Amino acid sequence: MIRRGLMLRHLVMPGNVGGTGEIVSWIAENLSKDTYLSLMSWYRPEYKASKYAEISRRLDLREYRKAVSQAREAGLTNLVTRES
């Protein structure tokens, strides 16, 4: 998809712990709405994650779709998603 340039990767976290909405807004406002952004849904709670309720579970599909929607609403046009 991209041969040269910048691609950002953002791991979408359960409960929006990673601040996806703020991240995509910042990218759209400070970089370019054409910036390539990969929204990753790979998070798996491991090691000591069980000690922290907010990250002790996997990301659900509803949360991931909300992250994709936030990126689109921010005007980002070059998204790589698990649905791509």
Side-chain angles (χ1 to χ4, degrees):
M1 182 175 203
I2 184 172
R3 291 179 184 243
R4 198 173 103 212
L6 174 70
M7 175 182 267
L8 301 176
R9 299 172 79 196
H10 175 69
L11 180 62
V12 181
M13 298 285 290
N16 195 33
V17 172
T20 301
E22 293 85 1
I23 297 288
V24 297
S25 292
W26 187 91
I27 292 168
E29 293 168 12
N30 295 283
L31 298 178
S32 167
K33 292 184 180 186
D34 293 329
T35 299
Y36 284 86
L37 175 64
S38 172
L39 289 173
M40 302 178 299
S41 61
W42 309 340
Y43 178 74
R44 289 184 353 187
E46 293 189 11
Y47 191 51
K48 295 185 180 184
S50 62
K51 293 183 178 187
Y52 306 95
E54 62 273 6
I55 61 168
S56 65
R57 64 177 178 82
R58 294 185 77 124
L59 179 71
D60 69 39
L61 184 58
R62 177 186 48 82
E63 291 172 310
Y64 183 75
R65 286 185 174 156
K66 181 177 180 182
V68 173
S69 178
Q70 289 173 320
R72 288 188 175 130
E73 288 170 10
L76 299 179
T77 58
N78 291 313
L79 296 177
V80 178
T81 68
R82 71 188 228 180
E83 296 145 357
S84 299

Coordinates of all heavy atoms in Angstrom, one line a residue:
M1 N 0.8 -1.2 0.0 CA 0.0 0.0 0.0 C 0.9 1.3 0.0 O 0.6 2.2 -0.7 CB -0.9 0.0 1.2 CG -1.8 1.1 1.3 SD -3.0 0.9 2.7 CE -4.3 1.9 2.1
I2 N 1.9 1.3 0.8 CA 2.8 2.4 0.9 C 4.2 2.0 0.5 O 4.7 1.0 0.9 CB 2.7 3.1 2.3 CG1 3.6 4.3 2.4 CG2 3.2 2.1 3.3 CD1 3.4 5.1 3.7
R3 N 4.8 2.8 -0.4 CA 6.1 2.4 -0.9 C 7.2 3.3 -0.2 O 8.3 3.0 -0.1 CB 6.2 2.6 -2.4 CG 5.5 1.5 -3.1 CD 5.6 1.7 -4.6 NE 4.8 0.8 -5.3 CZ 5.3 -0.1 -6.1 NH1 6.5 -0.2 -6.3 NH2 4.5 -1.0 -6.7
R4 N 6.8 4.6 0.1 CA 7.7 5.5 0.6 C 6.9 6.5 1.5 O 5.8 6.9 1.2 CB 8.4 6.3 -0.5 CG 9.6 7.0 -0.1 CD 10.3 7.5 -1.4 NE 10.0 9.0 -1.3 CZ 9.9 9.7 -2.4 NH1 9.9 9.2 -3.6 NH2 9.6 11.0 -2.2
G5 N 7.5 6.9 2.6 CA 6.8 7.9 3.4 C 6.7 7.4 4.9 O 7.4 6.6 5.3
L6 N 5.6 7.8 5.5 CA 5.3 7.5 6.9 C 4.1 6.8 7.0 O 3.0 7.1 6.4 CB 5.2 8.9 7.6 CG 4.8 8.8 9.1 CD1 5.9 8.2 9.9 CD2 4.5 10.2 9.6
M7 N 4.1 5.7 7.8 CA 2.9 5.0 8.3 C 3.0 4.9 9.8 O 3.9 4.4 10.3 CB 2.8 3.6 7.7 CG 1.6 2.9 8.2 SD 1.4 1.2 7.7 CE 0.3 1.5 6.3
L8 N 1.9 5.4 10.4 CA 1.8 5.3 11.9 C 1.0 4.1 12.2 O 0.1 3.7 11.5 CB 1.1 6.5 12.4 CG 1.8 7.9 12.1 CD1 1.0 9.0 12.7 CD2 3.2 7.9 12.8
R9 N 1.4 3.4 13.3 CA 0.6 2.3 13.8 C 0.1 2.6 15.2 O 0.9 3.1 16.0 CB 1.5 1.1 13.8 CG 2.1 0.7 12.4 CD 3.1 -0.4 12.5 NE 2.4 -1.6 12.6 CZ 3.0 -2.8 13.0 NH1 4.3 -2.8 13.3 NH2 2.3 -3.9 13.1
H10 N -1.1 2.3 15.4 CA -1.7 2.6 16.7 C -2.4 1.3 17.2 O -3.3 0.8 16.5 CB -2.7 3.8 16.7 CG -3.4 4.0 17.9 ND1 -2.8 4.5 19.1 CD2 -4.7 3.9 18.3 CE1 -3.7 4.6 20.0 NE2 -4.9 4.2 19.6
L11 N -2.1 0.9 18.4 CA -2.7 -0.3 19.0 C -3.9 0.2 19.8 O -3.8 0.9 20.8 CB -1.7 -1.0 19.9 CG -2.3 -2.3 20.6 CD1 -2.7 -3.3 19.6 CD2 -1.2 -2.8 21.6
V12 N -5.1 -0.2 19.3 CA -6.3 0.1 20.0 C -6.5 -0.7 21.2 O -6.3 -2.0 21.1 CB -7.6 -0.1 19.0 CG1 -8.8 0.3 19.7 CG2 -7.4 0.7 17.7
M13 N -6.7 -0.1 22.3 CA -6.7 -0.8 23.6 C -8.1 -0.9 24.2 O -9.0 0.0 23.9 CB -5.8 0.0 24.6 CG -4.4 0.1 24.3 SD -3.5 -1.5 24.5 CE -3.5 -1.6 26.3
P14 N -8.4 -1.8 25.0 CA -9.7 -2.0 25.6 C -10.0 -0.7 26.5 O -9.1 -0.2 27.1 CB -9.7 -3.2 26.4 CG -8.2 -3.6 26.6 CD -7.5 -2.9 25.5
G15 N -11.3 -0.3 26.5 CA -11.7 0.8 27.3 C -11.1 2.1 26.9 O -11.1 3.1 27.7
N16 N -10.6 2.2 25.7 CA -10.0 3.4 25.1 C -8.8 3.9 26.0 O -8.5 5.1 26.1 CB -11.0 4.5 24.9 CG -10.4 5.6 24.1 OD1 -9.6 5.4 23.2 ND2 -10.8 6.9 24.3
V17 N -8.1 2.9 26.6 CA -6.9 3.3 27.5 C -5.9 4.0 26.7 O -5.2 4.9 27.2 CB -6.4 2.0 28.2 CG1 -5.1 2.3 28.9 CG2 -7.4 1.4 29.1
G18 N -5.8 3.7 25.4 CA -4.7 4.3 24.6 C -5.1 5.6 24.0 O -4.3 6.3 23.3
G19 N -6.3 6.1 24.3 CA -6.7 7.4 23.8 C -6.8 7.6 22.3 O -6.4 8.6 21.7
T20 N -7.4 6.6 21.6 CA -7.5 6.6 20.2 C -8.1 7.9 19.6 O -7.6 8.5 18.7 CB -8.3 5.4 19.7 OG1 -7.6 4.2 20.2 CG2 -8.4 5.4 18.2
G21 N -9.2 8.4 20.2 CA -9.8 9.6 19.7 C -8.9 10.8 19.7 O -8.8 11.5 18.7
E22 N -8.1 11.0 20.8 CA -7.2 12.0 20.9 C -6.0 11.9 19.9 O -5.6 12.8 19.3 CB -6.6 12.2 22.3 CG -7.6 12.6 23.3 CD -8.5 11.4 23.9 OE1 -8.2 10.3 23.5 OE2 -9.4 11.7 24.7
I23 N -5.6 10.6 19.7 CA -4.5 10.3 18.8 C -4.9 10.7 17.4 O -4.1 11.4 16.7 CB -4.1 8.9 18.9 CG1 -3.5 8.5 20.3 CG2 -3.1 8.5 17.8 CD1 -2.2 9.1 20.6
V24 N -6.0 10.2 16.9 CA -6.4 10.4 15.5 C -6.7 11.9 15.3 O -6.4 12.4 14.2 CB -7.6 9.5 15.1 CG1 -7.2 8.1 15.1 CG2 -8.8 9.8 15.9
S25 N -7.2 12.6 16.3 CA -7.5 14.1 16.1 C -6.1 14.8 16.0 O -6.0 15.7 15.2 CB -8.2 14.6 17.3 OG -9.5 14.1 17.4
W26 N -5.2 14.4 16.8 CA -3.9 15.0 16.8 C -3.2 14.8 15.4 O -2.7 15.7 14.8 CB -2.9 14.5 17.9 CG -1.7 15.3 17.9 CD1 -1.4 16.4 18.7 CD2 -0.5 15.0 17.2 NE1 -0.1 16.8 18.4 CE2 0.5 16.0 17.5 CE3 -0.1 14.0 16.3 CZ2 1.8 16.0 17.0 CZ3 1.2 14.0 15.7 CH2 2.1 15.0 16.1
I27 N -3.3 13.6 14.9 CA -2.7 13.3 13.6 C -3.4 14.2 12.5 O -2.7 14.8 11.7 CB -2.9 11.8 13.2 CG1 -2.0 11.0 14.2 CG2 -2.5 11.5 11.8 CD1 -2.3 9.5 14.1
A28 N -4.7 14.2 12.5 CA -5.4 15.0 11.5 C -5.1 16.5 11.6 O -5.0 17.2 10.5 CB -6.9 14.8 11.6
E29 N -4.9 17.0 12.8 CA -4.7 18.4 12.9 C -3.2 18.8 12.8 O -2.9 20.0 12.3 CB -5.1 18.9 14.3 CG -6.6 18.8 14.5 CD -7.0 18.9 16.0 OE1 -6.2 19.3 16.8 OE2 -8.2 18.7 16.3
N30 N -2.3 17.9 13.1 CA -0.9 18.3 13.1 C 0.0 17.7 12.1 O 1.1 18.2 11.8 CB -0.3 18.0 14.5 CG -0.9 18.8 15.6 OD1 -0.5 19.9 15.8 ND2 -1.8 18.2 16.3
L31 N -0.4 16.6 11.5 CA 0.3 16.0 10.4 C -0.5 16.2 9.1 O -0.4 17.3 8.5 CB 0.5 14.5 10.7 CG 1.4 14.2 11.9 CD1 1.5 12.7 12.1 CD2 2.7 14.9 11.8
S32 N -1.2 15.2 8.7 CA -2.0 15.4 7.4 C -3.1 14.4 7.5 O -2.9 13.3 8.0 CB -1.1 15.1 6.2 OG -1.9 14.9 5.1
K33 N -4.2 14.7 6.9 CA -5.3 13.8 6.9 C -5.0 12.7 5.9 O -5.7 11.7 5.9 CB -6.6 14.5 6.5 CG -7.0 15.5 7.6 CD -8.3 16.1 7.4 CE -8.6 17.0 8.6 NZ -9.9 17.7 8.5
D34 N -4.0 12.8 5.1 CA -3.5 11.7 4.2 C -2.5 10.8 4.8 O -2.0 9.9 4.2 CB -3.0 12.3 2.9 CG -4.0 13.1 2.1 OD1 -5.2 12.7 2.2 OD2 -3.7 14.0 1.4
T35 N -2.2 11.0 6.1 CA -1.2 10.2 6.8 C -1.7 8.7 6.8 O -2.9 8.5 7.1 CB -0.9 10.7 8.2 OG1 -0.4 12.0 8.2 CG2 0.0 9.8 8.9
Y36 N -0.8 7.8 6.5 CA -1.2 6.4 6.6 C -1.3 6.0 8.0 O -0.3 6.2 8.8 CB -0.2 5.5 5.8 CG -0.4 5.6 4.3 CD1 0.2 6.6 3.6 CD2 -1.2 4.7 3.7 CE1 0.1 6.7 2.2 CE2 -1.4 4.7 2.3 CZ -0.7 5.7 1.6 OH -0.9 5.8 0.2
L37 N -2.4 5.4 8.4 CA -2.5 5.0 9.8 C -3.0 3.6 9.9 O -4.1 3.2 9.3 CB -3.5 5.9 10.6 CG -3.9 5.5 12.0 CD1 -2.6 5.6 12.9 CD2 -5.0 6.4 12.5
S38 N -2.3 2.7 10.6 CA -2.7 1.3 10.8 C -3.3 1.3 12.2 O -2.6 1.5 13.2 CB -1.5 0.4 10.7 OG -1.9 -0.9 11.0
L39 N -4.6 0.9 12.2 CA -5.3 0.7 13.5 C -5.2 -0.8 13.8 O -5.9 -1.6 13.2 CB -6.7 1.2 13.5 CG -6.9 2.7 13.4 CD1 -8.3 3.1 13.2 CD2 -6.3 3.4 14.7
M40 N -4.5 -1.1 14.8 CA -4.2 -2.5 15.2 C -5.2 -3.0 16.3 O -5.4 -2.3 17.2 CB -2.8 -2.8 15.5 CG -1.8 -2.3 14.5 SD -0.1 -2.5 14.9 CE 0.0 -1.4 16.3
S41 N -5.7 -4.2 16.1 CA -6.6 -4.8 17.1 C -6.0 -6.0 17.8 O -6.7 -6.8 18.3 CB -7.9 -5.2 16.4 OG -7.6 -6.2 15.4
W42 N -4.7 -6.1 17.9 CA -4.0 -7.3 18.3 C -3.8 -7.4 19.8 O -3.3 -8.4 20.3 CB -2.6 -7.3 17.8 CG -2.4 -7.1 16.4 CD1 -3.3 -7.3 15.4 CD2 -1.2 -6.7 15.7 NE1 -2.7 -7.0 14.1 CE2 -1.4 -6.7 14.3 CE3 0.1 -6.4 16.2 CZ2 -0.5 -6.3 13.4 CZ3 1.0 -6.1 15.3 CH2 0.8 -6.0 13.9
Y43 N -4.2 -6.4 20.6 CA -4.0 -6.5 22.0 C -4.4 -7.7 22.7 O -5.6 -8.2 22.5 CB -4.6 -5.3 22.8 CG -4.3 -5.3 24.3 CD1 -3.1 -5.0 24.7 CD2 -5.3 -5.7 25.1 CE1 -2.8 -5.1 26.1 CE2 -5.1 -5.8 26.5 CZ -3.8 -5.5 27.0 OH -3.6 -5.6 28.3
R44 N -3.5 -8.3 23.5 CA -3.8 -9.5 24.3 C -3.3 -9.3 25.7 O -2.1 -8.9 25.8 CB -3.1 -10.8 23.8 CG -3.7 -11.3 22.5 CD -3.0 -12.5 22.0 NE -1.9 -13.0 22.8 CZ -1.1 -14.0 22.5 NH1 -1.4 -14.7 21.4 NH2 -0.1 -14.4 23.2
P45 N -4.1 -9.4 26.7 CA -3.6 -9.2 28.1 C -2.6 -10.3 28.4 O -3.0 -11.5 28.4 CB -4.8 -9.2 28.9 CG -5.9 -10.0 28.1 CD -5.5 -9.8 26.7
E46 N -1.4 -10.0 28.8 CA -0.4 -11.0 29.2 C 0.4 -10.5 30.4 O 0.2 -9.3 30.8 CB 0.5 -11.3 28.0 CG -0.2 -12.0 26.9 CD 0.8 -12.5 25.8 OE1 2.0 -12.4 26.0 OE2 0.3 -12.9 24.7
Y47 N 1.2 -11.3 30.9 CA 2.1 -11.1 32.0 C 1.3 -10.5 33.2 O 0.5 -11.2 33.8 CB 3.3 -10.2 31.6 CG 4.4 -10.1 32.6 CD1 4.9 -11.2 33.2 CD2 4.9 -8.9 33.0 CE1 5.9 -11.2 34.1 CE2 5.9 -8.8 34.0 CZ 6.4 -9.9 34.5 OH 7.4 -9.8 35.4
K48 N 1.5 -9.3 33.6 CA 0.8 -8.7 34.7 C -0.4 -7.9 34.4 O -0.9 -7.1 35.3 CB 1.8 -7.8 35.5 CG 3.0 -8.7 36.1 CD 3.9 -7.8 37.0 CE 5.0 -8.7 37.5 NZ 5.8 -7.9 38.5
A49 N -0.9 -8.0 33.2 CA -2.1 -7.2 32.8 C -3.3 -7.5 33.7 O -4.1 -6.7 33.9 CB -2.4 -7.5 31.4
S50 N -3.4 -8.7 34.2 CA -4.5 -9.1 35.1 C -4.6 -8.3 36.3 O -5.6 -8.2 37.0 CB -4.4 -10.6 35.4 OG -3.2 -10.9 36.2
K51 N -3.5 -7.6 36.7 CA -3.5 -6.8 37.9 C -4.2 -5.4 37.7 O -4.5 -4.7 38.6 CB -2.1 -6.5 38.4 CG -1.4 -7.7 38.9 CD 0.0 -7.3 39.4 CE 0.7 -8.5 39.9 NZ 2.0 -8.2 40.6
Y52 N -4.5 -5.1 36.4 CA -5.1 -3.8 36.1 C -6.4 -4.1 35.3 O -6.4 -4.5 34.1 CB -4.1 -3.0 35.2 CG -2.8 -2.9 35.9 CD1 -1.7 -3.7 35.6 CD2 -2.6 -1.9 36.8 CE1 -0.5 -3.6 36.2 CE2 -1.3 -1.8 37.4 CZ -0.3 -2.6 37.1 OH 0.9 -2.5 37.7
A53 N -7.5 -3.8 36.0 CA -8.8 -4.1 35.4 C -9.0 -3.5 34.0 O -9.6 -4.2 33.1 CB -9.9 -3.6 36.3
E54 N -8.5 -2.3 33.8 CA -8.8 -1.7 32.5 C -8.1 -2.4 31.3 O -8.5 -2.2 30.1 CB -8.4 -0.2 32.5 CG -7.0 0.1 32.8 CD -6.7 0.2 34.3 OE1 -7.5 -0.1 35.1 OE2 -5.5 0.6 34.6
I55 N -7.1 -3.1 31.5 CA -6.3 -3.8 30.4 C -6.3 -5.3 30.6 O -5.5 -6.0 29.9 CB -4.9 -3.3 30.3 CG1 -4.1 -3.5 31.5 CG2 -5.0 -1.8 29.8 CD1 -2.6 -3.2 31.3
S56 N -7.1 -5.9 31.5 CA -7.1 -7.3 31.8 C -8.0 -8.1 30.8 O -8.2 -9.3 31.1 CB -7.5 -7.6 33.2 OG -8.9 -7.2 33.4
R57 N -8.5 -7.5 29.8 CA -9.3 -8.2 28.8 C -8.9 -7.8 27.4 O -8.2 -6.8 27.2 CB -10.8 -7.9 29.1 CG -11.1 -6.4 28.8 CD -12.6 -6.1 29.0 NE -12.8 -4.7 28.8 CZ -13.0 -4.1 27.6 NH1 -12.9 -4.8 26.5 NH2 -13.2 -2.8 27.5
R58 N -9.4 -8.6 26.5 CA -9.1 -8.3 25.0 C -10.0 -7.2 24.6 O -11.1 -7.0 25.1 CB -9.3 -9.6 24.2 CG -8.3 -10.7 24.6 CD -8.5 -11.8 23.6 NE -7.9 -11.5 22.4 CZ -6.9 -12.2 21.7 NH1 -6.5 -13.3 22.3 NH2 -6.5 -11.8 20.6
L59 N -9.7 -6.6 23.5 CA -10.5 -5.6 22.8 C -11.7 -6.3 22.2 O -11.5 -7.3 21.6 CB -9.6 -4.9 21.7 CG -10.2 -3.9 20.9 CD1 -10.4 -2.6 21.7 CD2 -9.3 -3.6 19.7
D60 N -12.8 -5.6 22.3 CA -14.0 -6.2 21.6 C -14.3 -5.5 20.3 O -13.8 -4.4 20.1 CB -15.2 -6.3 22.5 CG -15.9 -5.0 22.9 OD1 -15.9 -4.1 22.0 OD2 -16.3 -4.8 24.0
L61 N -15.0 -6.1 19.4 CA -15.3 -5.6 18.1 C -15.9 -4.3 18.1 O -15.6 -3.4 17.3 CB -16.1 -6.6 17.3 CG -16.4 -6.3 15.8 CD1 -15.1 -6.1 15.1 CD2 -17.2 -7.3 15.2
R62 N -16.8 -4.0 19.0 CA -17.5 -2.7 19.1 C -16.5 -1.6 19.4 O -16.6 -0.6 18.8 CB -18.6 -2.8 20.3 CG -19.3 -1.5 20.5 CD -20.2 -1.7 21.8 NE -19.5 -2.2 22.9 CZ -18.8 -1.5 23.8 NH1 -18.6 -0.3 23.6 NH2 -18.2 -2.1 24.8
E63 N -15.6 -1.9 20.3 CA -14.5 -0.9 20.6 C -13.6 -0.6 19.4 O -13.3 0.5 19.1 CB -13.7 -1.4 21.8 CG -14.4 -1.4 23.1 CD -13.6 -2.1 24.2 OE1 -13.0 -3.2 23.9 OE2 -13.5 -1.5 25.2
Y64 N -13.3 -1.7 18.7 CA -12.5 -1.5 17.5 C -13.2 -0.7 16.4 O -12.6 0.2 15.8 CB -12.0 -2.8 16.9 CG -11.1 -2.7 15.8 CD1 -9.8 -2.3 16.0 CD2 -11.5 -2.8 14.5 CE1 -8.9 -2.1 14.9 CE2 -10.7 -2.6 13.4 CZ -9.4 -2.2 13.6 OH -8.5 -2.0 12.6
R65 N -14.4 -1.0 16.2 CA -15.2 -0.3 15.2 C -15.4 1.2 15.6 O -15.4 2.1 14.7 CB -16.6 -0.9 15.0 CG -16.4 -2.2 14.2 CD -17.8 -2.8 13.9 NE -17.6 -4.0 13.0 CZ -18.5 -5.0 12.9 NH1 -19.6 -4.9 13.6 NH2 -18.2 -6.0 12.1
K66 N -15.5 1.5 16.8 CA -15.6 2.9 17.3 C -14.2 3.6 17.0 O -14.3 4.7 16.5 CB -15.8 2.9 18.8 CG -15.9 4.4 19.3 CD -16.3 4.4 20.8 CE -16.4 5.9 21.2 NZ -16.7 6.0 22.6
A67 N -13.1 2.9 17.2 CA -11.8 3.5 16.9 C -11.7 3.9 15.4 O -11.2 4.9 15.0 CB -10.7 2.6 17.3
V68 N -12.2 2.9 14.5 CA -12.1 3.2 13.1 C -13.0 4.3 12.7 O -12.7 5.2 11.9 CB -12.6 1.9 12.3 CG1 -12.7 2.2 10.8 CG2 -11.5 0.8 12.5
S69 N -14.2 4.4 13.3 CA -15.1 5.5 13.1 C -14.5 6.8 13.6 O -14.7 7.8 12.9 CB -16.4 5.2 13.9 OG -17.3 6.3 13.7
Q70 N -13.8 6.8 14.7 CA -13.2 8.1 15.1 C -12.2 8.6 14.1 O -12.1 9.8 13.9 CB -12.5 7.9 16.5 CG -13.5 7.7 17.6 CD -12.8 7.3 18.9 OE1 -11.9 6.5 19.0 NE2 -13.3 7.9 20.0
A71 N -11.4 7.6 13.6 CA -10.4 8.0 12.6 C -11.0 8.6 11.3 O -10.6 9.6 10.8 CB -9.5 6.8 12.2
R72 N -12.1 8.0 10.9 CA -12.8 8.5 9.7 C -13.4 9.8 10.0 O -13.4 10.7 9.2 CB -13.9 7.5 9.3 CG -13.2 6.3 8.6 CD -14.2 5.3 8.0 NE -13.5 4.2 7.3 CZ -13.8 3.0 7.5 NH1 -14.8 2.6 8.3 NH2 -13.1 2.1 6.9
E73 N -14.0 10.0 11.2 CA -14.6 11.3 11.6 C -13.6 12.4 11.7 O -13.9 13.6 11.4 CB -15.4 11.1 12.9 CG -16.7 10.3 12.8 CD -17.3 10.0 14.1 OE1 -16.9 10.5 15.1 OE2 -18.2 9.2 14.1
A74 N -12.4 12.0 12.0 CA -11.3 13.0 12.1 C -10.8 13.4 10.7 O -10.1 14.4 10.5 CB -10.1 12.5 12.9
G75 N -11.3 12.7 9.7 CA -11.0 13.0 8.3 C -9.8 12.2 7.7 O -9.3 12.5 6.6
L76 N -9.3 11.3 8.5 CA -8.1 10.5 8.0 C -8.6 9.6 6.8 O -9.6 8.9 6.9 CB -7.5 9.6 9.1 CG -7.0 10.5 10.3 CD1 -6.4 9.5 11.3 CD2 -5.9 11.4 9.8
T77 N -7.8 9.6 5.8 CA -8.3 8.9 4.5 C -7.5 7.6 4.2 O -8.0 6.8 3.4 CB -8.2 9.9 3.3 OG1 -6.8 10.3 3.2 CG2 -9.1 11.1 3.5
N78 N -6.3 7.5 4.7 CA -5.5 6.3 4.4 C -5.4 5.4 5.6 O -4.4 5.3 6.3 CB -4.1 6.7 4.0 CG -4.2 7.4 2.6 OD1 -4.8 6.9 1.7 ND2 -3.5 8.5 2.5
L79 N -6.5 4.7 5.9 CA -6.6 3.8 7.1 C -6.3 2.4 6.6 O -6.8 1.9 5.6 CB -7.9 3.9 7.7 CG -8.3 5.2 8.3 CD1 -9.7 5.1 8.8 CD2 -7.4 5.6 9.4
V80 N -5.5 1.7 7.5 CA -5.3 0.3 7.3 C -6.0 -0.3 8.5 O -5.6 -0.1 9.7 CB -3.9 -0.1 7.2 CG1 -3.7 -1.6 7.1 CG2 -3.2 0.5 6.1
T81 N -7.1 -1.1 8.3 CA -7.8 -1.7 9.4 C -7.9 -3.2 9.2 O -7.6 -3.7 8.2 CB -9.2 -1.1 9.5 OG1 -10.0 -1.6 8.4 CG2 -9.2 0.4 9.5
R82 N -8.4 -3.9 10.2 CA -8.6 -5.3 10.1 C -9.7 -5.6 9.1 O -9.8 -6.8 8.7 CB -8.8 -6.0 11.5 CG -10.1 -5.7 12.1 CD -10.1 -6.3 13.5 NE -11.3 -7.0 13.7 CZ -11.6 -7.6 14.9 NH1 -10.7 -7.5 15.9 NH2 -12.7 -8.3 15.0
E83 N -10.4 -4.6 8.7 CA -11.5 -4.8 7.8 C -11.1 -4.4 6.4 O -11.8 -4.5 5.4 CB -12.7 -4.0 8.2 CG -13.3 -4.5 9.5 CD -13.9 -3.4 10.4 OE1 -13.8 -2.2 10.0 OE2 -14.4 -3.7 11.5
S84 N -9.8 -3.9 6.2 CA -9.3 -3.5 4.9 C -9.1 -4.6 4.0 O -8.6 -5.7 4.4 CB -8.0 -2.7 5.1 OG -8.2 -1.6 5.9

